[in-house]
Amino acid sequence: MNETRRAILAALSDGPVSGPELADDLEVSRAAVWKHIEELRDADFEIESSPNGYELAGVDAYNAPAIEFGLEAPFSIEYHDTLESTNDRARDLAADGAVDVAVVADEQTGGRGRLKREWSSPSGGIWVSIVSRPEITPAQAPLYTLASAVATATVAREAGVDARIKWPNDVVVPVGDDGDYRKLVGILTEMEGETDRVEWLIAGIGVNANLDADGLPEGATSVRNEAGDVDRRTFVQRLLEEFDRYRTDLDAVVPAWCDLALTLGQRVRVERPSGEIVGEAVDVTESGTLEVETDDGRVTVSAGDCEHLRPI
Ligand code: BT5
């Protein structure tokens, strides 16, 4: 956001301020202040005029200036009403050298899951892709995926949803006590780098927010269905803040993940590129891999589709 507009918003959020006062404080003309106020109103900031001056009555908008305003994490926001895929756009930005940008869309027309699966992304959800340039090795990249899941589950819980994590990166809501669940969030991590260095990493996070689960694929749920609609601006801000907190403290990721995990202690079937295994999920290692106790001994799984099985 333009620095002057940011400064105006900061001043208005502390109470009414007159146009001349703003002009003096920011060393711009009164006409410029008026123009900035009109532009902020156009971006859906509710700015009231009273005899005491301008006052910020609320921020109802879901767009880049609104998400950036009050955000306590070092990301700039690129917002689109509609995009094919926020991950695709983030990849383009990453290839151009972008860092710490979050691409947000109200709707995706070609949202992607893992392995080229489709991700249903109608208007009303939260579809966001975060570009980072972390100083980590590719072997540590799974920690970023776990961090995305922890951040999202934490914020969904703040919104009143009983969100838990299914290894490695689905945020789900448990149904009953047998490990059954409905999917609330999908995460797609993509990266580019060399064997010893990550060039960029994109955490693509899709939250079924203000959507009816009936209109989503079978097995899905939404924040609306579980706890009622949320303010998507606040949700995205908190999500970015939590993501930033964990990416800057990678040691905290696995313990936080374990606290939220639905998978640990479950009987699971994991489909890996090298074949399927069945057993009890017993642990997650420091690097984010899953330990499964099978009839043939303990197996460490770094990637695959994990299904919870009913206990025997
Ligand atoms: C995922 O894939 O769960 C990762 C989804 C990542 C989506 C985000 S949105 C922002 C960013 N931009 C993108 O283009 N993608 C990311 P996977 O584990 O492969 O799960 C995909 C499967 O989940 C599909 O085959 C469906 O069965 C199911 N599914 C599709 N849309 C869903 C939804 N909205 N809610 C719950 N399940 C869904």
Side-chain angles (χ1 to χ4, degrees), residues 3-19 21-23 25-26 33 37 40 47 53-56 69:
E3 279 311 313
T4 311
R5 281 202 279 284
R6 199 189 299 274
I8 290 177
L9 282 171
L12 297 193
S13 50
D14 289 339
V17 196
S18 72
E21 248 177 287
L22 281 171
D25 288 352
L26 303 174
V33 167
I37 295 275
L40 286 166
I47 298 175
Y54 296 113
E55 192 167 10
L56 184 63
F69 174 62

Side-chain angles (χ1 to χ4, degrees), residues 150-173:
V150 169
T152 319
T154 302
V155 180
R157 295 185 77 82
E158 289 172 2
V161 180
D162 181 20
R164 305 283 297 277
I165 307 174
K166 182 175 85 80
W167 186 84
N169 58 355
D170 284 344
V171 178
V172 300
V173 178

Side-chain angles (χ1 to χ4, degrees), residues 9 44-48 55-61 69 233:
L9 282 171
D44 284 341
F45 285 87
E46 272 180 71
I47 298 175
E48 287 174 356
E55 192 167 10
L56 184 63
V59 187
D60 280 347
F69 174 62
R233 166 183 169 257

Side-chain angles (χ1 to χ4, degrees), residues 233-284:
R233 166 183 169 257
T234 314
F235 196 110
V236 172
Q237 288 180 329
R238 289 288 304 123
L239 179 53
L240 294 171
E241 287 163 6
E242 287 295 307
F243 179 74
D244 188 50
R245 166 180 161 201
Y246 283 104
R247 73 172 181 169
T248 50
D249 183 10
L250 288 177
D251 288 345
V253 172
V254 170
W257 190 96
C258 289
D259 282 347
L260 290 162
L262 188 63
T263 302
L264 295 183
Q266 292 288 331
R267 253 172 63 75
V268 295
R269 178 188 298 123
V270 187
E271 278 177 37
R272 306 168 301 165
S274 56
E276 178 186 294
I277 53 162
V278 173
E280 186 187 337
V282 285
D283 204 3
V284 165

Side-chain angles (χ1 to χ4, degrees), residues 84-88 108 110-122 126-129 169-170 183-188 203-208 211 216-221 305:
E84 205 169 301
S85 155
T86 53
N87 262 43
D88 288 351
Q108 294 184 118
R112 296 189 281 116
R114 293 175 302 144
L115 305 172
K116 297 194 177 149
R117 291 190 279 241
E118 279 180 29
W119 183 258
S120 170
S121 323
I126 292 172
W127 322 122
V128 52
S129 299
N169 58 355
D170 284 344
K183 184 159 164 171
L184 181 78
V185 175
I187 296 172
L188 175 67
I205 303 170
V207 186
N208 298 327
L211 296 169
L216 295 169
E218 212 183 316
T221 190
D305 273 322

